[in-house]
Amino acid sequence: MAGIDPARMSGSIVPAQTIESTTVNMAKLHKKRTSFAKPAPLSTRAAIVLDIERMTPEGRGLSHYQDKPVFVEGALAGEQVQVRLSAEHSRFAEAVTEKVLQPVELRRQPPCEYYGRCGGCSVQHMQYGLQLEIKQQAVAEQLSKLAGLKPQEWLPTLTAGEWRYRTRTHLAMLWDKQSKVLRLGFRARKDHEVVEVGHCQVLDPRLSELLPALKALMLQYPHKERLGHIELVAGDEHRALMLRLTAKADAAWLSEMTTWCEAQQLQLWLQEGEQTQPSCHWPAPEQGGLYYTLPAFASRFDFTPADFIQVNPALNRLMVEQAMALLAVKPGERVLDLFAGLGNFSLAAARAGAEVIAVEGTKAMVERGNANAQRNGLSAVQFHCADLMADFSHQSWAGRSVDKVILDPPRAGALHAVRHVAGLKPSKIVYISCNPATLARDAAELDQLGYRLIKAGAMDMFPQTSHVEAIALFEPYKRGGQGKKAAAGSALARRYSGRG
């Protein structure tokens, strides 16, 4: 890729690029649509050769056959590939690359031996610089097409390296009663099979090294049909294993499992039968639990294996630092943090001298958020529990004036929330998104409500996958300066919400 050295991009921040000056130069890679003389129906062909025209936001190649779009996994723009049909729909088809006939320079040999079978990392065949650029373009495309918006400035794409970043993983277990075979690993791509793995290149090495022994331990369980799944989690210092069982654990086996966990200094948590939350089996709570830190804000966050945390701690640190820089909190200001979780952003804002109203949807997270604030000596943070996907205007905290707002919603977005916070007239709104489509929808609504998109950019929380996260800054329009796309944006938001 001209102008980009992928090895150099594994540092903290990729140099800022505008979408117009993209270094991938997709235009050069676009090709004419593939055509055939009187072709057979797509579903009846054993193999099809396609020319890939461009990349889609989720990292698949796009071609056409019989004037029908075909989305091709494992293909890059400008390549000619032989594909196998994986699904055919009325308006489009999906396919998987079987052989690359004419590769482009942006392709690399996937480093992982499980690539193509494991359902986790779908874009390892791309050089890392291309992965980053596609994600930035995905944010730009959704904002442009769905909301008709473009930020005044594109932020640098945040990255913290492409390998060994993940501090949480879910391991599936599948017991075949007929063959008496137990499989332990990751879910396969597009089916319910389990791909057995002995290591994982995106997993924190402290967790990856546990994989070989876990299979042998699970094989010793006397009632394999009761095995559910395993969660492996790492904090800054400690590791934990959470085992889901459909019935109470076998006592003799549990004793042996505990002995192994003690030798590994691995916390053991169990969720048995009808339990809705796991409990710590070993060690005793006073011996220290899981935690992560944000050194830039002198903050420590205690959590359990069942709590939501960002799985890429290095990127999380960069994300919180960037969010606080955009929010520009001043001492004495009041900040509203919606979808606050454990206080990932709340404690950073409080450390800057703000009074923080932190709101989260689950009682357990609110309790841990308040405990984290107290443990860090931040009395100016108060956590509240509320359903932020519904009307919350009746809540006691909801009517208080605020200076700035930060939101970190789930994939469904924050349509109700942005309508409310715009009425509070904060000077800045920072929106953290794990779904560019709902970010675009909510950005259109904010534009209609008088808030202009100032800055936006992608964040690579999940390298080697097509998952895209984004961050955006909104500020009030100057009087009389509401956006040209405001009316269209509001109509789009109503369509998503069913209003109007």
Side-chain angles (χ1 to χ4, degrees):
M1 177 165 47
I4 289 185
D5 177 5
R8 183 165 54 84
M9 294 184 120
S10 63
S12 295
I13 298 179
V14 179
Q17 304 168 10
T18 61
I19 298 304
E20 292 78 13
S21 62
T22 174
T23 55
V24 168
N25 199 356
M26 289 290 184
K28 284 187 177 181
L29 299 180
H30 288 185
K31 290 198 170 188
K32 293 182 180 180
R33 295 183 176 183
T34 305
S35 60
F36 299 88
K38 297 182 180 180
L42 187 57
S43 58
T44 66
R45 298 181 64 90
I48 302 169
V49 175
L50 297 175
D51 291 331
I52 305 302
E53 303 158 22
R54 64 182 179 88
M55 301 303 295
T56 66
E58 70 274 13
R60 294 189 291 180
L62 175 64
S63 186
H64 285 77
Y65 179 74
Q66 295 180 270
D67 290 325
K68 176 182 286 189
V70 183
F71 298 94
V72 185
E73 288 189 20
L76 301 181
E79 293 186 329
Q80 186 176 82
V81 294
Q82 179 178 302
V83 306
R84 169 179 53 83
L85 180 72
S86 58
E88 187 167 13
H89 310 277
S90 60
R91 295 186 178 182
F92 67 94
E94 298 175 87
V96 176
T97 300
E98 288 193 326
K99 186 176 182 180
V100 180
L101 304 176
Q102 294 180 11
V104 295
E105 292 182 359
L106 298 172
R107 174 175 290 277
R108 70 179 179 187
Q109 180 65 29
C112 178
E113 64 184 282
Y114 308 110
Y115 173 81
R117 294 182 292 137
C118 174
C121 301
S122 60
V123 297
Q124 284 192 21
H125 60 287
M126 301 180 189
Q127 292 184 20
Y128 189 49
L130 177 58
Q131 293 182 35
L132 296 172
E133 186 155 3
I134 287 175
K135 292 181 180 186
Q136 185 83 321
Q137 289 182 339
V139 177
E141 183 174 318
Q142 298 284 29
L143 287 170
S144 176
K145 290 187 175 181
L146 296 182
L149 297 175
K150 176 183 174 182
Q152 292 182 351
E153 177 186 341
W154 284 105
L155 294 167
T157 302
L158 286 184
T159 176
E162 57 175 321
W163 305 109
R164 298 177 292 278
Y165 63 85
R166 193 177 181 103
T167 56
R168 180 194 290 272
T169 193
H170 177 106
L171 297 172
M173 288 186 281
L174 183 63
W175 170 246
D176 189 319
K177 295 179 181 180
Q178 293 184 341
S179 63
K180 305 299 182 183
V181 171
L182 175 68
R183 295 185 181 276
L184 185 150
F186 299 126
R187 289 291 180 184
R189 193 171 297 179
K190 293 191 174 181
D191 61 38
H192 296 292
E193 291 299 314
V194 173
V195 177
E196 294 193 276
V197 298
H199 61 88
C200 177
Q201 296 198 45
V202 299
L203 199 56
D204 185 314
R206 296 174 297 162
L207 301 181
S208 183
E209 68 183 16
L210 299 171
L211 297 179
L214 285 175
K215 172 69 178 293
L217 288 164
M218 295 303 123
L219 280 172
Q220 296 172 18
Y221 197 75
H223 308 288
K224 297 177 184 62
E225 70 280 1
R226 299 177 185 176
L227 294 172
H229 64 264
I230 293 173
E231 296 271 351
L232 295 177
V233 188
D236 284 8
E237 182 179 2
H238 304 296
R239 303 174 297 176
L241 180 154
M242 182 173 71
L243 175 61
R244 175 73 176 98
L245 298 166
T246 60
K248 190 170 179 61
D250 177 83
W253 178 89
L254 182 57
S255 177
E256 294 181 7
M257 183 70 178
T258 304
T259 300
W260 180 78
C261 286
E262 290 177 3
Q264 305 297 320
Q265 286 298 295
L266 180 68
Q267 295 180 19
L268 177 59
W269 291 66
L270 299 177
Q271 187 175 353
E272 304 167 286
E274 300 300 318
Q275 284 184 325
T276 58
Q277 292 294 322
S279 58
C280 186
H281 180 75
W282 183 88
E286 60 268 17
Q287 295 186 35
L290 297 169
Y291 69 88
Y292 72 90
T293 58
L294 293 178
F297 305 99
S299 298
R300 166 177 162 158
F301 301 80
D302 289 0
F303 66 95
T304 76
D307 293 336
F308 171 81
I309 60 166
Q310 298 291 355
V311 302
N312 188 332
L315 198 284
N316 182 55
R317 291 174 177 179
L318 294 175
M319 177 179 70
V320 176
E321 290 172 19
Q322 183 173 78
M324 291 301 105
L326 293 174
L327 210 57
V329 176
K330 299 176 182 178
E333 290 185 325
R334 181 179 293 151
V335 174
L336 177 62
D337 181 6
L338 299 181
F339 309 94
L342 294 169
N344 199 39
F345 298 102
S346 304
L347 271 58
R351 192 67 76 188
E355 174 192 349
V356 182
I357 302 171
V359 188
E360 170 56 37
T362 63
K363 185 178 179 181
M365 293 288 276
V366 168
E367 291 174 351
R368 271 188 279 284
N370 275 321
N372 279 324
Q374 293 173 12
R375 191 174 293 108
N376 284 273
L378 296 170
S379 59
V381 183
Q382 290 296 320
F383 280 76
H384 303 268
C385 188
D387 180 3
L388 296 174
M389 307 307 285
D391 180 19
F392 54 81
S393 58
H394 61 283
Q395 298 284 341
S396 59
W397 51 266
R400 302 182 67 187
S401 62
V402 298
D403 298 291
K404 290 163 184 177
V405 174
I406 187 163
L407 307 94
D408 185 10
R411 290 185 60 81
L415 191 57
H416 286 287
V418 298
R419 289 170 179 163
H420 180 86
V421 301
L424 300 177
K425 302 189 184 304
S427 63
K428 294 179 185 289
I429 300 173
V430 171
Y431 191 124
I432 309 295
S433 171
C434 58
N435 183 353
T438 52
L439 169 63
R441 178 202 65 192
D442 295 348
E445 186 74 358
L446 281 169
D447 186 79
Q448 170 67 12
L449 295 170
Y451 278 82
R452 184 173 188 174
L453 178 59
I454 303 298
K455 298 180 181 182
M459 302 183 293
D460 197 17
M461 188 69 74
F462 300 91
Q464 313 311 324
T465 78
S466 60
H467 186 82
V468 183
E469 304 236 345
I471 186 170
L473 170 66
F474 299 85
E475 294 179 357
Y477 276 101
K478 295 179 181 179
R479 182 171 296 181
Q482 197 164 341
K484 296 179 181 179
K485 300 292 183 179
S490 181
L492 180 143
R494 287 196 298 272
R495 187 181 73 199
Y496 269 83
S497 64
R499 185 185 68 171

